[in-house]
Structure formats: structure tokens, C-alpha cells
């Protein structure tokens, strides 16, 4: 079934690419994105979003959709291993170790769903990439997943990995997880990694600032679904949609924007200008910078949510991987 779905996606992508070349208005160059290939992928997501706009939240479907990310950007499988009792997947390299945290709203995703990004990142940098299979809500509401990530980081230190040779990265909820991990390590007095790269980081589960970009411009995310996911992630709503608690979604336990940024390592924020969650990147980067953190921000013109993870689908993603690799090399 997965193979059939893979070829169906490729067929739709090929048709959309042909169509994009007929209607394309912008040439591919940084500052004048998108490319033909990007427009084709955008069409796939936009069509799927339109077809599902009236459907309610469904956890099983959400998880299946996120896992299908690997069909868009397959990469090569890594090697499963256990670190401090937590399942991880590793792409072996030399030099630094990149600790990667997948996105998926704290509800879905896995090292396998994001193996395209992990593989391409390891290939571009030559470094080892370790992707963490942390626990997720609603079965394990936050901060269970964060506890797993802390265990893995401390497990690497126990294996004599130099913290100055560790770099963190994550997309969407995984980007939020990166900041939550850094804040937890700081609070515990654990040695910090050298730096972190955050792709469209989701840092505020209250979804207070979704007004910077209109929902129509975002090819992927619906406001109402994102707000619902935030309530599930922080343990307020169960899988059936029933309210079971009244936690503050702005609590720094799960919303990194409201935590402390003092003493954090250099941060590279990347987001697309066309995503409704871009405000999280702007606000959180500004807060980190005001706390004295070395901050770099790249708001990519015309790009979708977490666009660097779609390696091999369009040239903008490959360009982003190159910029990420350059940052990691010098930090």
C-alpha cells in the first residue's frame, strides 16, 4: 500500500510540475522563489488542505499524514539504537553529533517520518545525526517527551560525547522541543550544546499569534486544527475531543516562548514567510536576542512551513540544508 501511495504522490508531483512550468511567474533564485518544483509540492499540500477543510481533527489520520512525509523525501534509513532507554535512529558520520527532534505537533511523527532531513543533513555536514523517538501525547502528555529528550542528551554526555560537539535541530514541534530541552538543561546546570537550528519552531501552544500571515497563504496548516492540537499536546483534550483538564497553554512546561532564554547557545531560526506560524519564530527570536543570546534569523520568501525537511523535492530545501550545514560548521 505504501508503495502505491508513493507512486501516486510522484505522479501528482510530476503533473503539478508540468502545470507549474506553464503558469510560473517567478524565476528560481534566492529572493525570487518559488521554483517550479516548489510550486508543484505546494499544489499537493494546498489540494489536500482544501479537501479536508471541513473535516474534524482525527489523531490517527494526522499521524498517518505525518508519516507519509518520508514518501515525499525518502532519504536512506538509519540504524536503530537505544540511548538512556529511549529509542533513537542514527545516521553515522564523524566529528560533531547532531541531535534531531522531529515535528508533528507533539502528537505524531518519528525518526522514520523525517529520515529524509536527517539523511541529507548527515550527508551535507558529514556529522552523525541522532533522531530521537520521544513519547507523544495524548498517550503521554508533555513533559513526558521532553523527559526522553533530556535522557538522550545526558546519555550522550555519559558516553563521553563533548557537549561542544553537539548541535540540536528540530522542525515545528521539534523546534519547540529543542528550546524546551535547552531551558531544561540550563535549569539543571547541565553543560550546553554548541548551538541549535530551529525550523519553523512551534513555541506557543496557545496559538496566540497566528495573525501575521493569513490562513489562505499557508498551503498546509489550518488555524482551528493547530489550536486543537495545542490543547491535546498540553493534556487539556483527549483523543475523543473531550476536555479533561484546564492547563494553561502558555505554561513554559510545553510552550518554550514563555521560558527563560538567558544563557542559551547560538540559535539559528528558519521559517517560511507564507506560514501562519511565522510569528512564533519572529517573537521567540526577538525574546532570545533580548536575553543576550546570539541569534540568526532567516525568513525565507514564499516558503511553506518547515520547508527544509523536504529534501530532494525542490531546490529551496537543498539550499536551506546548505545554509544549515554552514551554520553548524562554524558553531
Amino acid at each position: 500500500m505504501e508503495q502505491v501511495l508513493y507512486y501516486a504522490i510522484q505522479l501528482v508531483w510530476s503533473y503539478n510540475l508540468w502545470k507549474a512550468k506553464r503558469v510560473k511567474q517567478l524565476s528560481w533564485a534566492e529572493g525570487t522563489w518559488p521554483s517550479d518544483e516548489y510550486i508543484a509540492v505546494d499544489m499537493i499540500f494546498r489540494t489536500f488542505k482544501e479537501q479536508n477543510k471541513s473535516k474534524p481533527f482525527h489523531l490517527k489520520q494526522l499521524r498517518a499524514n505525518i508519516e507519509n512525509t518520508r514518501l515525499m523525501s525518502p532519504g536512506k534509513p538509519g540504524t536503530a539504537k537505544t540511548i538512556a532507554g529511549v529509542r533513537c535512529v542514527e545516521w553515522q558520520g564523524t566529528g560533531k553529533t547532531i541531535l534531531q527532534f522531529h515535528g508533528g505537533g507533539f502528537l505524531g511523527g518519528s525518526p522514520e517520518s523525517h529520515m529524509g532531513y536527517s539523511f541529507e543533513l548527515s550527508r551535507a555536514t558529514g556529522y552523525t545525526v541522532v533522531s530521537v523517538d520521544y513519547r507523544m501525547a495524548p498517550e503521554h502528555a508533555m513533559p513526558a517527551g521532553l523527559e526522553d529528550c533530556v535522557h538522550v542528551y545526558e546519555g550522550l554526555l555519559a558516553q563521553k560525547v563533548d557537549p561542544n560537539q553537539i548541535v540540536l535541530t528540530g522542525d515545528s514541534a521539534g523546534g519547540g522541543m529543542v528550546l524546551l530541552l535547552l531551558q531544561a538543561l540550563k535549569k539543571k546546570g547541565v553543560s550546553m550544546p554548541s548551538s541549535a537550528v530551529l525550523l519553523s519552531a512551534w513555541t506557543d501552544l496557545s496559538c496566540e499569534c497566528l495573525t501575521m500571515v493569513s490562513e489562505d497563504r499557508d498551503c498546509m496548516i489550518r488555524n482551528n486544527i493547530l489550536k486543537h492540537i495545542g490543547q491535546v499536546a498540553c493534556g487539556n483534550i483527549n483523543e475523543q475531543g473531550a476536555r479533561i483538564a484546564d492547563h494553561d497553554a502558555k505554561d513554559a512546561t510545553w510552550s518554550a516562548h514563555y521560558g527563560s532564554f538567558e544563557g542559551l547557545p547560538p540559535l539559528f531560526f528558519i521559517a517560511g514567510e507564507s506560514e501562519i506560524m511565522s510569528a512564533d519564530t519572529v517573537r521567540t527570536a526577538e525574546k532570545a536576542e533580548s536575553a543576550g543570546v546570539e541569534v540568526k534569523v532567516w525568513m525565507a520568501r514564499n516558503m511553506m512551513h518547515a520547508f527544509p525537511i523536504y529534501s530532494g523535492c525542490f531546490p529551496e530545501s537543498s539550499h536551506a540544508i546548505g545554509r544549515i550545514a554552514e551554520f553548524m560548521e562554524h558553531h
Side-chain angles (χ1 to χ4, degrees), residues 184 256 268:
F268 184 14

Side-chain angles (χ1 to χ4, degrees), residues 167-329:
V167 184
L168 309 184
T169 185
D171 70 286
S172 195
M177 184 68 83
V178 167
L179 291 175
L180 291 170
L181 174 57
L182 291 173
Q183 291 164 351
L185 296 176
K186 182 66 178 179
K187 189 177 295 185
K188 293 184 67 174
V190 178
S191 297
M192 287 283 174
S194 65
S195 61
V197 178
L198 306 104
L199 314 179
S200 302
W202 191 21
T203 61
D204 183 359
L205 271 61
S206 75
C207 302
E208 185 175 78
C209 293
L210 294 180
T211 56
M212 178 176 280
V213 174
S214 69
E215 184 174 333
D216 290 341
R217 283 194 65 193
D218 192 308
C219 68
M220 189 185 306
I221 302 172
R222 293 154 55 195
N223 286 357
N224 63 322
I225 295 297
L226 186 63
K227 292 176 180 178
H228 185 94
I229 290 173
Q231 290 297 303
V232 176
C234 64
N236 285 336
I237 295 177
N238 64 17
E239 183 179 348
Q240 290 72 38
R243 178 163 287 276
I244 56 176
D246 194 27
H247 302 303
D248 184 359
K250 294 183 179 181
D251 192 306
T253 303
W254 35 71
S255 289
H257 177 78
Y258 301 100
S260 173
F261 288 82
E262 293 183 3
L264 300 194
L267 305 174
F268 184 14
F269 290 86
I270 301 174
E273 285 187 349
S274 297
E275 59 171 297
I276 60 173
M277 292 169 64
S278 58
D280 271 26
T281 289
V282 174
R283 294 168 64 232
T284 303
E286 289 176 348
K287 185 174 181 181
E289 191 168 36
S290 67
V293 178
E294 179 186 333
V295 171
K296 180 177 182 179
V297 180
W298 176 29
M299 297 296 294
R301 185 176 180 182
N302 299 317
M303 291 294 102
M304 67 175 68
H305 179 70
F307 73 94
I309 72 170
Y310 298 102
S311 54
C313 286
F314 41 82
E316 293 90 340
S317 175
S318 299
H319 176 83
I321 293 290
R323 291 184 66 164
I324 292 168
E326 182 180 7
F327 176 85
M328 290 182 172
E329 180 184 357

Side-chain angles (χ1 to χ4, degrees), residues 9-317:
I9 290 174
Q10 294 300 310
L11 182 62
V12 173
W13 183 85
S14 298
Y15 170 74
N16 285 347
L17 178 58
W18 171 81
K19 185 177 179 182
K21 288 181 176 179
R22 292 173 60 89
V23 302
K24 186 168 183 277
Q25 297 176 335
L26 297 173
S27 61
W28 192 87
E30 189 173 2
T32 56
W33 293 356
S35 64
D36 292 334
E37 293 86 349
Y38 176 88
I39 294 173
V41 174
D42 180 280
M43 289 178 182
I44 292 175
F45 283 125
R46 204 169 289 279
T47 300
F48 183 81
K49 179 182 176 183
E50 178 64 23
Q51 290 174 343
N52 290 274
K53 66 180 182 180
S54 60
K55 295 182 180 179
F57 172 81
H58 193 287
L59 179 61
K60 185 176 180 180
Q61 187 61 55
L62 172 73
R63 288 176 168 171
N65 293 342
I66 296 170
E67 287 302 318
N68 286 336
T69 300
R70 61 181 166 177
L71 303 180
M72 301 285 289
S73 179
K76 291 184 179 180
T79 303
K81 62 185 301 183
T82 300
I83 301 176
V86 180
R87 179 182 180 271
C88 300
V89 177
E90 179 182 87
W91 286 260
Q92 186 65 50
T94 59
K96 296 181 180 180
T97 297
I98 302 171
L99 206 51
Q100 191 264 341
F101 306 95
H102 65 79
F106 299 109
L107 311 186
S110 67
E112 286 73 23
S113 67
H114 285 59
M115 68 179 177
Y117 175 58
S118 298
F119 169 72
E120 291 296 339
L121 196 54
S122 181
R123 186 166 68 168
T125 60
Y127 303 149
T128 294
V129 174
V130 176
S131 184
V132 183
D133 197 5
Y134 57 87
R135 287 174 291 171
M136 294 178 291
E139 295 88 349
H140 306 282
M142 287 289 283
L146 174 58
E147 292 169 357
D148 290 344
C149 297
V150 171
H151 291 328
V152 171
Y153 183 85
E154 293 181 331
L156 290 179
L157 299 189
Q159 295 174 10
K160 306 303 181 183
V161 178
D162 183 351
N164 293 318
Q165 294 295 303
I166 300 176
V167 184
L168 309 184
T169 185
D171 70 286
S172 195
M177 184 68 83
V178 167
L179 291 175
L180 291 170
L181 174 57
L182 291 173
Q183 291 164 351
L185 296 176
K186 182 66 178 179
K187 189 177 295 185
K188 293 184 67 174
V190 178
S191 297
M192 287 283 174
S194 65
S195 61
V197 178
L198 306 104
L199 314 179
S200 302
W202 191 21
T203 61
D204 183 359
L205 271 61
S206 75
C207 302
E208 185 175 78
C209 293
L210 294 180
T211 56
M212 178 176 280
V213 174
S214 69
E215 184 174 333
D216 290 341
R217 283 194 65 193
D218 192 308
C219 68
M220 189 185 306
I221 302 172
R222 293 154 55 195
N223 286 357
N224 63 322
I225 295 297
L226 186 63
K227 292 176 180 178
H228 185 94
I229 290 173
Q231 290 297 303
V232 176
C234 64
N236 285 336
I237 295 177
N238 64 17
E239 183 179 348
Q240 290 72 38
R243 178 163 287 276
I244 56 176
D246 194 27
H247 302 303
D248 184 359
K250 294 183 179 181
D251 192 306
T253 303
W254 35 71
S255 289
H257 177 78
Y258 301 100
S260 173
F261 288 82
E262 293 183 3
L264 300 194
L267 305 174
F268 184 14
F269 290 86
I270 301 174
E273 285 187 349
S274 297
E275 59 171 297
I276 60 173
M277 292 169 64
S278 58
D280 271 26
T281 289
V282 174
R283 294 168 64 232
T284 303
E286 289 176 348
K287 185 174 181 181
E289 191 168 36
S290 67
V293 178
E294 179 186 333
V295 171
K296 180 177 182 179
V297 180
W298 176 29
M299 297 296 294
R301 185 176 180 182
N302 299 317
M303 291 294 102
M304 67 175 68
H305 179 70
F307 73 94
I309 72 170
Y310 298 102
S311 54
C313 286
F314 41 82
E316 293 90 340
S317 175

